[in-house]
Amino acid sequence: MLGVVYKALGDGWHSRCPRCGIGSLYAGFATSVDECAHCGLEIKRNDSGDGPAFFMICILGVVVLPLIMLIEVNVGPPLVVHALLGLGLSLGLALALIRPIKAAMIALQYANRPDDFEPKA
């Protein structure tokens, strides 16, 4: 079971199709394709919803807030420096993490419920 999770997370990190591992999951920056170009898996059938945003907020909170607090305690810069640093870090990390987290959520959904991706007869 753990191997399935590792495969799903690896496919998510590389933004590949959870079934074949070859096709791309994205048509744009964070827009999922309707179906895999290689194997035809219907990706749009199961949207990741707000799950990636929740996990991204949790990760950013754990990374950015302690860093900002550490800078305040050791350096004590003006408030505008905190605002620019916090905004820059949060925005940069959010843009870097949204694609792999969203792809990992789709891959984990496929790993746990592959029948939900298939068309209903």
Side-chain angles (χ1 to χ4, degrees):
M1 178 65 182
L2 203 52
V4 173
V5 172
Y6 286 139
K7 181 191 179 311
L9 292 176
D11 288 341
W13 181 257
H14 297 291
S15 300
R16 296 184 303 221
C17 172
R19 184 196 289 169
C20 67
I22 296 172
S24 177
L25 284 181
Y26 295 109
F29 178 69
T31 306
S32 300
V33 295
D34 290 336
E35 63 181 36
C36 175
H38 187 261
C39 69
L41 179 69
E42 291 188 33
I43 303 295
K44 277 290 188 188
R45 198 171 253 310
N46 279 3
D47 188 23
S48 60
D50 292 335
F54 170 76
F55 287 113
M56 189 174 56
I57 289 168
C58 291
I59 291 169
L60 290 178
V62 169
V63 171
V64 174
L65 184 62
L67 189 60
I68 295 295
M69 290 170 59
L70 187 68
I71 290 171
E72 173 60 33
V73 169
N74 291 327
V75 180
L79 190 58
V80 69
V81 173
H82 279 299
L84 292 175
L85 187 62
L87 181 65
L89 277 173
S90 297
L91 188 60
L93 285 173
L95 290 174
L97 290 176
I98 191 64
R99 282 176 59 105
I101 291 176
K102 184 176 179 179
M105 290 287 291
I106 292 171
L108 285 169
Q109 284 177 353
Y110 179 76
N112 290 308
R113 300 182 319 216
D115 294 339
D116 289 351
F117 284 78
E118 303 300 331
K120 305 292 185 231

PDB file of all heavy atoms in Angstrom, residues 70-105:
ATOM      1  N   LEU A  70      11.736  34.467  13.383  1.00  0.00           N
ATOM      2  CA  LEU A  70      13.176  34.373  13.599  1.00  0.00           C
ATOM      3  C   LEU A  70      13.881  35.657  13.163  1.00  0.00           C
ATOM      4  O   LEU A  70      14.780  36.150  13.849  1.00  0.00           O
ATOM      5  CB  LEU A  70      13.720  33.168  12.835  1.00  0.00           C
ATOM      6  CG  LEU A  70      15.173  32.805  13.059  1.00  0.00           C
ATOM      7  CD1 LEU A  70      15.369  32.303  14.479  1.00  0.00           C
ATOM      8  CD2 LEU A  70      15.593  31.751  12.061  1.00  0.00           C
ATOM      9  N   ILE A  71      13.465  36.206  12.050  1.00  0.00           N
ATOM     10  CA  ILE A  71      14.047  37.463  11.566  1.00  0.00           C
ATOM     11  C   ILE A  71      13.722  38.603  12.527  1.00  0.00           C
ATOM     12  O   ILE A  71      14.583  39.443  12.817  1.00  0.00           O
ATOM     13  CB  ILE A  71      13.550  37.764  10.139  1.00  0.00           C
ATOM     14  CG1 ILE A  71      14.165  36.756   9.163  1.00  0.00           C
ATOM     15  CG2 ILE A  71      13.893  39.193   9.726  1.00  0.00           C
ATOM     16  CD1 ILE A  71      13.592  36.814   7.770  1.00  0.00           C
ATOM     17  N   GLU A  72      12.514  38.636  13.049  1.00  0.00           N
ATOM     18  CA  GLU A  72      12.136  39.695  13.992  1.00  0.00           C
ATOM     19  C   GLU A  72      12.975  39.624  15.264  1.00  0.00           C
ATOM     20  O   GLU A  72      13.460  40.639  15.759  1.00  0.00           O
ATOM     21  CB  GLU A  72      10.656  39.592  14.345  1.00  0.00           C
ATOM     22  CG  GLU A  72      10.202  40.532  15.431  1.00  0.00           C
ATOM     23  CD  GLU A  72      10.401  42.000  15.096  1.00  0.00           C
ATOM     24  OE1 GLU A  72      10.302  42.382  13.914  1.00  0.00           O
ATOM     25  OE2 GLU A  72      10.665  42.771  16.034  1.00  0.00           O
ATOM     26  N   VAL A  73      13.169  38.439  15.782  1.00  0.00           N
ATOM     27  CA  VAL A  73      13.921  38.286  17.032  1.00  0.00           C
ATOM     28  C   VAL A  73      15.402  38.611  16.833  1.00  0.00           C
ATOM     29  O   VAL A  73      16.015  39.267  17.672  1.00  0.00           O
ATOM     30  CB  VAL A  73      13.754  36.845  17.581  1.00  0.00           C
ATOM     31  CG1 VAL A  73      14.713  36.579  18.716  1.00  0.00           C
ATOM     32  CG2 VAL A  73      12.324  36.623  18.021  1.00  0.00           C
ATOM     33  N   ASN A  74      15.978  38.190  15.726  1.00  0.00           N
ATOM     34  CA  ASN A  74      17.417  38.368  15.522  1.00  0.00           C
ATOM     35  C   ASN A  74      17.800  39.697  14.900  1.00  0.00           C
ATOM     36  O   ASN A  74      18.870  40.222  15.198  1.00  0.00           O
ATOM     37  CB  ASN A  74      17.972  37.240  14.663  1.00  0.00           C
ATOM     38  CG  ASN A  74      17.969  35.920  15.395  1.00  0.00           C
ATOM     39  OD1 ASN A  74      18.153  35.880  16.605  1.00  0.00           O
ATOM     40  ND2 ASN A  74      17.735  34.843  14.678  1.00  0.00           N
ATOM     41  N   VAL A  75      16.965  40.252  14.028  1.00  0.00           N
ATOM     42  CA  VAL A  75      17.328  41.469  13.292  1.00  0.00           C
ATOM     43  C   VAL A  75      16.468  42.652  13.716  1.00  0.00           C
ATOM     44  O   VAL A  75      16.974  43.763  13.878  1.00  0.00           O
ATOM     45  CB  VAL A  75      17.222  41.239  11.761  1.00  0.00           C
ATOM     46  CG1 VAL A  75      17.595  42.490  10.995  1.00  0.00           C
ATOM     47  CG2 VAL A  75      18.088  40.076  11.338  1.00  0.00           C
ATOM     48  N   GLY A  76      15.176  42.454  13.873  1.00  0.00           N
ATOM     49  CA  GLY A  76      14.258  43.529  14.246  1.00  0.00           C
ATOM     50  C   GLY A  76      14.083  44.581  13.164  1.00  0.00           C
ATOM     51  O   GLY A  76      14.165  45.776  13.455  1.00  0.00           O
ATOM     52  N   PRO A  77      13.818  44.178  11.912  1.00  0.00           N
ATOM     53  CA  PRO A  77      13.675  45.170  10.834  1.00  0.00           C
ATOM     54  C   PRO A  77      12.347  45.922  10.946  1.00  0.00           C
ATOM     55  O   PRO A  77      11.466  45.534  11.711  1.00  0.00           O
ATOM     56  CB  PRO A  77      13.703  44.308   9.574  1.00  0.00           C
ATOM     57  CG  PRO A  77      13.144  43.004  10.007  1.00  0.00           C
ATOM     58  CD  PRO A  77      13.602  42.820  11.420  1.00  0.00           C
ATOM     59  N   PRO A  78      12.208  47.001  10.174  1.00  0.00           N
ATOM     60  CA  PRO A  78      10.946  47.742  10.176  1.00  0.00           C
ATOM     61  C   PRO A  78       9.783  46.880   9.660  1.00  0.00           C
ATOM     62  O   PRO A  78       9.987  45.855   9.009  1.00  0.00           O
ATOM     63  CB  PRO A  78      11.194  48.909   9.213  1.00  0.00           C
ATOM     64  CG  PRO A  78      12.660  48.975   9.032  1.00  0.00           C
ATOM     65  CD  PRO A  78      13.214  47.634   9.360  1.00  0.00           C
ATOM     66  N   LEU A  79       8.571  47.313   9.934  1.00  0.00           N
ATOM     67  CA  LEU A  79       7.378  46.566   9.574  1.00  0.00           C
ATOM     68  C   LEU A  79       7.263  46.357   8.064  1.00  0.00           C
ATOM     69  O   LEU A  79       6.808  45.306   7.611  1.00  0.00           O
ATOM     70  CB  LEU A  79       6.142  47.295  10.103  1.00  0.00           C
ATOM     71  CG  LEU A  79       4.827  46.550  10.017  1.00  0.00           C
ATOM     72  CD1 LEU A  79       4.924  45.227  10.779  1.00  0.00           C
ATOM     73  CD2 LEU A  79       3.701  47.386  10.557  1.00  0.00           C
ATOM     74  N   VAL A  80       7.692  47.333   7.278  1.00  0.00           N
ATOM     75  CA  VAL A  80       7.583  47.206   5.822  1.00  0.00           C
ATOM     76  C   VAL A  80       8.470  46.063   5.305  1.00  0.00           C
ATOM     77  O   VAL A  80       8.123  45.373   4.345  1.00  0.00           O
ATOM     78  CB  VAL A  80       7.904  48.550   5.118  1.00  0.00           C
ATOM     79  CG1 VAL A  80       9.371  48.910   5.244  1.00  0.00           C
ATOM     80  CG2 VAL A  80       7.477  48.505   3.674  1.00  0.00           C
ATOM     81  N   VAL A  81       9.591  45.828   5.955  1.00  0.00           N
ATOM     82  CA  VAL A  81      10.462  44.720   5.556  1.00  0.00           C
ATOM     83  C   VAL A  81       9.762  43.389   5.828  1.00  0.00           C
ATOM     84  O   VAL A  81       9.797  42.473   5.005  1.00  0.00           O
ATOM     85  CB  VAL A  81      11.819  44.796   6.294  1.00  0.00           C
ATOM     86  CG1 VAL A  81      12.662  43.554   6.016  1.00  0.00           C
ATOM     87  CG2 VAL A  81      12.565  46.047   5.896  1.00  0.00           C
ATOM     88  N   HIS A  82       9.097  43.285   6.980  1.00  0.00           N
ATOM     89  CA  HIS A  82       8.331  42.079   7.281  1.00  0.00           C
ATOM     90  C   HIS A  82       7.221  41.862   6.246  1.00  0.00           C
ATOM     91  O   HIS A  82       6.996  40.739   5.801  1.00  0.00           O
ATOM     92  CB  HIS A  82       7.692  42.169   8.667  1.00  0.00           C
ATOM     93  CG  HIS A  82       8.623  41.847   9.776  1.00  0.00           C
ATOM     94  ND1 HIS A  82       9.235  40.632   9.900  1.00  0.00           N
ATOM     95  CD2 HIS A  82       9.041  42.589  10.823  1.00  0.00           C
ATOM     96  CE1 HIS A  82       9.992  40.631  10.977  1.00  0.00           C
ATOM     97  NE2 HIS A  82       9.891  41.817  11.561  1.00  0.00           N
ATOM     98  N   ALA A  83       6.536  42.941   5.904  1.00  0.00           N
ATOM     99  CA  ALA A  83       5.439  42.825   4.942  1.00  0.00           C
ATOM    100  C   ALA A  83       5.954  42.360   3.584  1.00  0.00           C
ATOM    101  O   ALA A  83       5.380  41.443   2.969  1.00  0.00           O
ATOM    102  CB  ALA A  83       4.713  44.157   4.811  1.00  0.00           C
ATOM    103  N   LEU A  84       7.011  42.957   3.105  1.00  0.00           N
ATOM    104  CA  LEU A  84       7.555  42.577   1.798  1.00  0.00           C
ATOM    105  C   LEU A  84       8.142  41.169   1.816  1.00  0.00           C
ATOM    106  O   LEU A  84       7.945  40.391   0.885  1.00  0.00           O
ATOM    107  CB  LEU A  84       8.611  43.586   1.357  1.00  0.00           C
ATOM    108  CG  LEU A  84       8.099  44.983   1.019  1.00  0.00           C
ATOM    109  CD1 LEU A  84       9.268  45.917   0.724  1.00  0.00           C
ATOM    110  CD2 LEU A  84       7.137  44.929  -0.146  1.00  0.00           C
ATOM    111  N   LEU A  85       8.848  40.839   2.886  1.00  0.00           N
ATOM    112  CA  LEU A  85       9.447  39.520   2.982  1.00  0.00           C
ATOM    113  C   LEU A  85       8.378  38.439   3.112  1.00  0.00           C
ATOM    114  O   LEU A  85       8.424  37.416   2.425  1.00  0.00           O
ATOM    115  CB  LEU A  85      10.403  39.468   4.170  1.00  0.00           C
ATOM    116  CG  LEU A  85      11.246  38.218   4.317  1.00  0.00           C
ATOM    117  CD1 LEU A  85      12.158  38.055   3.111  1.00  0.00           C
ATOM    118  CD2 LEU A  85      12.056  38.281   5.590  1.00  0.00           C
ATOM    119  N   GLY A  86       7.402  38.678   3.963  1.00  0.00           N
ATOM    120  CA  GLY A  86       6.327  37.705   4.146  1.00  0.00           C
ATOM    121  C   GLY A  86       5.501  37.523   2.889  1.00  0.00           C
ATOM    122  O   GLY A  86       5.172  36.400   2.501  1.00  0.00           O
ATOM    123  N   LEU A  87       5.173  38.623   2.233  1.00  0.00           N
ATOM    124  CA  LEU A  87       4.396  38.542   0.993  1.00  0.00           C
ATOM    125  C   LEU A  87       5.189  37.838  -0.106  1.00  0.00           C
ATOM    126  O   LEU A  87       4.664  36.983  -0.815  1.00  0.00           O
ATOM    127  CB  LEU A  87       3.974  39.940   0.533  1.00  0.00           C
ATOM    128  CG  LEU A  87       3.147  40.001  -0.734  1.00  0.00           C
ATOM    129  CD1 LEU A  87       1.800  39.325  -0.509  1.00  0.00           C
ATOM    130  CD2 LEU A  87       2.955  41.438  -1.168  1.00  0.00           C
ATOM    131  N   GLY A  88       6.453  38.199  -0.238  1.00  0.00           N
ATOM    132  CA  GLY A  88       7.289  37.575  -1.265  1.00  0.00           C
ATOM    133  C   GLY A  88       7.468  36.089  -1.053  1.00  0.00           C
ATOM    134  O   GLY A  88       7.337  35.287  -1.980  1.00  0.00           O
ATOM    135  N   LEU A  89       7.766  35.707   0.192  1.00  0.00           N
ATOM    136  CA  LEU A  89       7.923  34.277   0.491  1.00  0.00           C
ATOM    137  C   LEU A  89       6.619  33.515   0.294  1.00  0.00           C
ATOM    138  O   LEU A  89       6.602  32.442  -0.301  1.00  0.00           O
ATOM    139  CB  LEU A  89       8.396  34.098   1.931  1.00  0.00           C
ATOM    140  CG  LEU A  89       9.885  34.246   2.188  1.00  0.00           C
ATOM    141  CD1 LEU A  89      10.164  34.213   3.684  1.00  0.00           C
ATOM    142  CD2 LEU A  89      10.654  33.157   1.491  1.00  0.00           C
ATOM    143  N   SER A  90       5.533  34.063   0.799  1.00  0.00           N
ATOM    144  CA  SER A  90       4.243  33.385   0.688  1.00  0.00           C
ATOM    145  C   SER A  90       3.831  33.222  -0.766  1.00  0.00           C
ATOM    146  O   SER A  90       3.407  32.142  -1.182  1.00  0.00           O
ATOM    147  CB  SER A  90       3.164  34.156   1.445  1.00  0.00           C
ATOM    148  OG  SER A  90       3.461  34.202   2.810  1.00  0.00           O
ATOM    149  N   LEU A  91       3.937  34.281  -1.534  1.00  0.00           N
ATOM    150  CA  LEU A  91       3.546  34.224  -2.944  1.00  0.00           C
ATOM    151  C   LEU A  91       4.452  33.292  -3.741  1.00  0.00           C
ATOM    152  O   LEU A  91       3.983  32.471  -4.538  1.00  0.00           O
ATOM    153  CB  LEU A  91       3.539  35.623  -3.545  1.00  0.00           C
ATOM    154  CG  LEU A  91       2.977  35.769  -4.938  1.00  0.00           C
ATOM    155  CD1 LEU A  91       1.524  35.322  -4.961  1.00  0.00           C
ATOM    156  CD2 LEU A  91       3.085  37.204  -5.403  1.00  0.00           C
ATOM    157  N   GLY A  92       5.748  33.400  -3.518  1.00  0.00           N
ATOM    158  CA  GLY A  92       6.688  32.552  -4.247  1.00  0.00           C
ATOM    159  C   GLY A  92       6.497  31.072  -3.948  1.00  0.00           C
ATOM    160  O   GLY A  92       6.458  30.236  -4.855  1.00  0.00           O
ATOM    161  N   LEU A  93       6.377  30.747  -2.667  1.00  0.00           N
ATOM    162  CA  LEU A  93       6.167  29.343  -2.303  1.00  0.00           C
ATOM    163  C   LEU A  93       4.808  28.837  -2.774  1.00  0.00           C
ATOM    164  O   LEU A  93       4.682  27.691  -3.185  1.00  0.00           O
ATOM    165  CB  LEU A  93       6.308  29.163  -0.797  1.00  0.00           C
ATOM    166  CG  LEU A  93       7.733  29.208  -0.256  1.00  0.00           C
ATOM    167  CD1 LEU A  93       7.725  29.198   1.268  1.00  0.00           C
ATOM    168  CD2 LEU A  93       8.540  28.040  -0.787  1.00  0.00           C
ATOM    169  N   ALA A  94       3.787  29.678  -2.706  1.00  0.00           N
ATOM    170  CA  ALA A  94       2.459  29.263  -3.168  1.00  0.00           C
ATOM    171  C   ALA A  94       2.482  28.936  -4.660  1.00  0.00           C
ATOM    172  O   ALA A  94       1.928  27.912  -5.089  1.00  0.00           O
ATOM    173  CB  ALA A  94       1.431  30.354  -2.876  1.00  0.00           C
ATOM    174  N   LEU A  95       3.125  29.772  -5.447  1.00  0.00           N
ATOM    175  CA  LEU A  95       3.206  29.517  -6.887  1.00  0.00           C
ATOM    176  C   LEU A  95       4.052  28.281  -7.188  1.00  0.00           C
ATOM    177  O   LEU A  95       3.775  27.548  -8.134  1.00  0.00           O
ATOM    178  CB  LEU A  95       3.767  30.738  -7.611  1.00  0.00           C
ATOM    179  CG  LEU A  95       2.841  31.959  -7.652  1.00  0.00           C
ATOM    180  CD1 LEU A  95       3.557  33.144  -8.270  1.00  0.00           C
ATOM    181  CD2 LEU A  95       1.564  31.646  -8.399  1.00  0.00           C
ATOM    182  N   ALA A  96       5.072  28.040  -6.371  1.00  0.00           N
ATOM    183  CA  ALA A  96       5.925  26.874  -6.595  1.00  0.00           C
ATOM    184  C   ALA A  96       5.243  25.577  -6.177  1.00  0.00           C
ATOM    185  O   ALA A  96       5.492  24.521  -6.768  1.00  0.00           O
ATOM    186  CB  ALA A  96       7.237  27.038  -5.840  1.00  0.00           C
ATOM    187  N   LEU A  97       4.367  25.633  -5.168  1.00  0.00           N
ATOM    188  CA  LEU A  97       3.781  24.411  -4.609  1.00  0.00           C
ATOM    189  C   LEU A  97       2.423  24.021  -5.181  1.00  0.00           C
ATOM    190  O   LEU A  97       2.029  22.865  -5.061  1.00  0.00           O
ATOM    191  CB  LEU A  97       3.641  24.561  -3.089  1.00  0.00           C
ATOM    192  CG  LEU A  97       4.917  24.568  -2.280  1.00  0.00           C
ATOM    193  CD1 LEU A  97       4.603  24.828  -0.810  1.00  0.00           C
ATOM    194  CD2 LEU A  97       5.654  23.258  -2.441  1.00  0.00           C
ATOM    195  N   ILE A  98       1.696  24.953  -5.792  1.00  0.00           N
ATOM    196  CA  ILE A  98       0.314  24.650  -6.172  1.00  0.00           C
ATOM    197  C   ILE A  98       0.226  23.522  -7.204  1.00  0.00           C
ATOM    198  O   ILE A  98      -0.618  22.633  -7.086  1.00  0.00           O
ATOM    199  CB  ILE A  98      -0.460  25.907  -6.635  1.00  0.00           C
ATOM    200  CG1 ILE A  98      -1.950  25.617  -6.753  1.00  0.00           C
ATOM    201  CG2 ILE A  98       0.081  26.448  -7.941  1.00  0.00           C
ATOM    202  CD1 ILE A  98      -2.623  25.266  -5.478  1.00  0.00           C
ATOM    203  N   ARG A  99       1.085  23.511  -8.188  1.00  0.00           N
ATOM    204  CA  ARG A  99       1.025  22.458  -9.217  1.00  0.00           C
ATOM    205  C   ARG A  99       1.343  21.077  -8.660  1.00  0.00           C
ATOM    206  O   ARG A  99       0.570  20.134  -8.860  1.00  0.00           O
ATOM    207  CB  ARG A  99       1.956  22.797 -10.384  1.00  0.00           C
ATOM    208  CG  ARG A  99       1.391  23.831 -11.315  1.00  0.00           C
ATOM    209  CD  ARG A  99       2.382  24.205 -12.400  1.00  0.00           C
ATOM    210  NE  ARG A  99       2.795  23.069 -13.196  1.00  0.00           N
ATOM    211  CZ  ARG A  99       2.377  22.818 -14.432  1.00  0.00           C
ATOM    212  NH1 ARG A  99       1.537  23.634 -15.014  1.00  0.00           N
ATOM    213  NH2 ARG A  99       2.812  21.765 -15.086  1.00  0.00           N
ATOM    214  N   PRO A 100       2.471  20.890  -7.947  1.00  0.00           N
ATOM    215  CA  PRO A 100       2.742  19.540  -7.452  1.00  0.00           C
ATOM    216  C   PRO A 100       1.741  19.057  -6.404  1.00  0.00           C
ATOM    217  O   PRO A 100       1.390  17.873  -6.380  1.00  0.00           O
ATOM    218  CB  PRO A 100       4.152  19.622  -6.863  1.00  0.00           C
ATOM    219  CG  PRO A 100       4.549  21.020  -6.881  1.00  0.00           C
ATOM    220  CD  PRO A 100       3.607  21.775  -7.739  1.00  0.00           C
ATOM    221  N   ILE A 101       1.236  19.968  -5.560  1.00  0.00           N
ATOM    222  CA  ILE A 101       0.266  19.536  -4.554  1.00  0.00           C
ATOM    223  C   ILE A 101      -1.054  19.156  -5.216  1.00  0.00           C
ATOM    224  O   ILE A 101      -1.666  18.139  -4.875  1.00  0.00           O
ATOM    225  CB  ILE A 101       0.072  20.622  -3.479  1.00  0.00           C
ATOM    226  CG1 ILE A 101       1.336  20.752  -2.632  1.00  0.00           C
ATOM    227  CG2 ILE A 101      -1.124  20.303  -2.596  1.00  0.00           C
ATOM    228  CD1 ILE A 101       1.286  21.859  -1.614  1.00  0.00           C
ATOM    229  N   LYS A 102      -1.500  19.942  -6.187  1.00  0.00           N
ATOM    230  CA  LYS A 102      -2.749  19.623  -6.889  1.00  0.00           C
ATOM    231  C   LYS A 102      -2.612  18.297  -7.649  1.00  0.00           C
ATOM    232  O   LYS A 102      -3.511  17.455  -7.612  1.00  0.00           O
ATOM    233  CB  LYS A 102      -3.116  20.758  -7.841  1.00  0.00           C
ATOM    234  CG  LYS A 102      -4.434  20.568  -8.541  1.00  0.00           C
ATOM    235  CD  LYS A 102      -4.785  21.773  -9.389  1.00  0.00           C
ATOM    236  CE  LYS A 102      -6.109  21.545 -10.089  1.00  0.00           C
ATOM    237  NZ  LYS A 102      -6.512  22.689 -10.900  1.00  0.00           N
ATOM    238  N   ALA A 103      -1.485  18.093  -8.310  1.00  0.00           N
ATOM    239  CA  ALA A 103      -1.267  16.854  -9.045  1.00  0.00           C
ATOM    240  C   ALA A 103      -1.180  15.660  -8.096  1.00  0.00           C
ATOM    241  O   ALA A 103      -1.692  14.582  -8.403  1.00  0.00           O
ATOM    242  CB  ALA A 103       0.006  16.959  -9.886  1.00  0.00           C
ATOM    243  N   ALA A 104      -0.557  15.841  -6.936  1.00  0.00           N
ATOM    244  CA  ALA A 104      -0.475  14.757  -5.959  1.00  0.00           C
ATOM    245  C   ALA A 104      -1.861  14.401  -5.423  1.00  0.00           C
ATOM    246  O   ALA A 104      -2.166  13.220  -5.215  1.00  0.00           O
ATOM    247  CB  ALA A 104       0.455  15.135  -4.815  1.00  0.00           C
ATOM    248  N   MET A 105      -2.719  15.388  -5.222  1.00  0.00           N
ATOM    249  CA  MET A 105      -4.084  15.117  -4.755  1.00  0.00           C
ATOM    250  C   MET A 105      -4.854  14.305  -5.803  1.00  0.00           C
ATOM    251  O   MET A 105      -5.563  13.360  -5.465  1.00  0.00           O
ATOM    252  CB  MET A 105      -4.825  16.417  -4.459  1.00  0.00           C
ATOM    253  CG  MET A 105      -4.321  17.162  -3.258  1.00  0.00           C
ATOM    254  SD  MET A 105      -4.763  16.394  -1.717  1.00  0.00           S
ATOM    255  CE  MET A 105      -6.506  16.648  -1.691  1.00  0.00           C
TER     256      MET A 105
END
